[in-house]
Amino acid sequence: MPTDAEFQAFWDEDATNKRTGCSKLGDAMCETWPVEADRMEFYAWSKAKADKRFKEREMTNVSAQELTEMLATMNFNNDILRGKLVNILERSVVPWLPVGNDRTGAIYRIVPGAFGLLPDQQDPKTNREIVPMNVLGVNTSVQPEIPSRSPELNFSEESTRSNESDDSDDAGFVFHQIGNLEYWADDPDNLRSYEDAATENWLSTQFHVVMRFGRNGAASGVYVIYDFYPEDEYLQERRKVDDDDWGYLPSDLTDRQIAFAKIANQITDLRLGRTFDFTEALDYPVELVRAVKTPENTIVRATAA
């Protein structure tokens, strides 16, 4: 039977030569180990090694501070950096991020995740490369067909006709999803530290937190957007909201609906004990769209053709 050292030598040679295709790898294995039992042993050895690597990557400690610094300083136009960020946000073990408390005293946090929100149209007609849905765009001047309590607003119910928007600030922006917004459902006096927060006393707001970024890829604000495609717990599928029961904050006694709001200028502003407002709030549904790459390697919103 081959030794671990022999298996490792074959593994290293395979990585160095970058063999492609099952047939090339299979031929190399047959040449190295003519006996099928030896090849099966290598399969088992390589699977165990890959599983170990995956577990180590999943359990690599990333602190809340490190994640915050990454979000604050990264270039969101960079494919590799976005891939690393998604890997961290989607791990089974990842630290939550504090947000602070609003004017009513409600306390919020971010539970990291990269794929909470869905666009209103998943497959736009475009000749450009569509970015994965961890990055989306929001059209603040387009109202999709969702019940709103602001019928007097005269916004278009269709996307603009151009395939790619001009991405002007007054019409919307692109963003990277970073997690779910949850609120503390217990007595606020029982939450004084991270240790106190390590309980199950958090509930979903059905809002998701996103990092806005500009043409240069730099972060330019932290926003929350309501999820108009929540998962139906009975059908176990995402279904579009078709009534007027949306956008209510858990502590807001004014019966105010919001679909979109800003919660910080910078991700580094977020912390326990901080008091913040939901600014730039919109009380009508906004349209979410896919994002696409430009020839200049920037990212802009795509709209339906």
Side-chain angles (χ1 to χ4, degrees), residues 256-298:
R256 177 180 61 160
Q257 282 179 297
I258 62 173
F260 165 100
K262 185 176 184 179
I263 60 172
N265 291 323
Q266 303 176 42
I267 191 73
T268 51
D269 293 338
L270 308 185
R271 64 184 181 278
L272 285 176
R274 159 187 176 262
T275 301
F276 71 95
D277 290 310
F278 291 90
T279 63
E280 301 179 21
L282 300 180
D283 63 356
Y284 55 86
V286 292
E287 181 189 49
L288 299 187
V289 297
R290 297 296 298 269
V292 296
K293 285 187 178 181
T294 69
E296 296 77 27
N297 202 33
T298 62

Side-chain angles (χ1 to χ4, degrees), residues 10-290:
F10 183 87
W11 177 287
D12 293 340
E13 182 182 0
D14 181 58
T16 301
N17 294 336
K18 293 182 172 60
R19 298 186 184 98
T20 58
C22 296
S23 60
K24 291 185 178 181
L25 178 59
D27 290 345
M29 290 178 61
C30 289
E31 181 180 343
T32 306
W33 300 298
V35 179
E36 183 179 4
D38 293 342
R39 297 195 297 272
M40 297 305 294
E41 284 293 328
F42 175 73
Y43 280 127
W45 179 91
S46 60
K47 182 180 184 303
K49 185 178 182 69
D51 289 346
K52 181 181 179 181
R53 282 190 171 184
F54 177 78
K55 184 175 181 181
E56 288 174 348
R57 186 174 72 247
E58 283 287 291
M59 296 306 292
T60 299
N61 290 329
V62 176
S63 69
Q65 181 178 356
E66 289 171 332
L67 178 55
T68 298
E69 290 175 355
M70 182 179 186
L71 292 167
T73 60
M74 72 174 282
N75 179 355
F76 287 93
N77 286 330
N78 187 296
D79 294 347
I80 295 176
L81 294 179
R82 289 200 314 276
K84 291 181 178 179
L85 175 60
V86 170
N87 175 266
I88 292 174
L89 294 175
E90 289 295 307
R91 289 178 184 176
S92 56
V93 179
V94 59
W96 55 269
L97 302 178
V99 173
N101 54 277
D102 65 18
R103 294 295 176 182
T104 70
I107 303 170
Y108 298 88
R109 72 172 183 178
I110 302 169
V111 177
F115 297 100
L117 296 169
L118 291 179
D120 292 285
Q121 182 179 358
Q122 297 195 23
D123 299 305
K125 296 178 181 178
T126 178
N127 294 324
R128 294 181 175 177
E129 179 184 348
I130 299 177
V131 180
M133 285 195 287
N134 52 301
V135 175
L136 295 173
V138 56
N139 289 336
T140 55
S141 61
V142 178
Q143 183 174 339
E145 295 179 357
I146 297 172
S148 170
R149 295 199 306 173
S150 300
E152 69 277 6
L153 295 174
N154 188 26
F155 291 112
S156 168
E157 292 189 354
E158 296 183 21
S159 298
T160 56
R161 291 295 177 184
S162 61
N163 282 345
E164 280 76 53
S165 73
D166 62 2
D167 224 51
S168 57
D169 289 343
D170 59 345
F173 54 81
V174 290
F175 61 82
H176 196 294
Q177 305 190 55
I178 64 171
N180 303 328
L181 183 69
E182 293 187 344
Y183 73 98
W184 179 252
D186 197 2
D187 188 329
D189 291 337
N190 293 333
L191 180 58
R192 296 187 176 88
S193 67
Y194 276 85
E195 289 73 22
D196 294 337
T199 68
E200 297 182 356
N201 295 324
W202 296 91
L203 296 177
S204 173
T205 63
Q206 210 164 308
F207 284 86
H208 292 267
V209 186
V210 305
M211 292 287 296
R212 175 180 181 172
F213 62 93
R215 285 291 186 100
N216 62 356
S220 58
V222 187
Y223 290 75
V224 295
I225 300 177
Y226 189 78
D227 181 9
F228 284 99
Y229 291 87
E231 183 172 0
D232 188 300
E233 60 182 19
Y234 298 105
L235 299 177
Q236 294 185 339
E237 64 182 20
R238 305 286 291 269
R239 298 178 66 87
K240 188 175 182 178
V241 171
D242 60 1
D243 56 36
D244 191 39
D245 187 19
W246 58 264
Y248 295 103
L249 292 167
S251 62
D252 196 337
L253 303 180
T254 64
D255 200 30
R256 177 180 61 160
Q257 282 179 297
I258 62 173
F260 165 100
K262 185 176 184 179
I263 60 172
N265 291 323
Q266 303 176 42
I267 191 73
T268 51
D269 293 338
L270 308 185
R271 64 184 181 278
L272 285 176
R274 159 187 176 262
T275 301
F276 71 95
D277 290 310
F278 291 90
T279 63
E280 301 179 21
L282 300 180
D283 63 356
Y284 55 86
V286 292
E287 181 189 49
L288 299 187
V289 297
R290 297 296 298 269

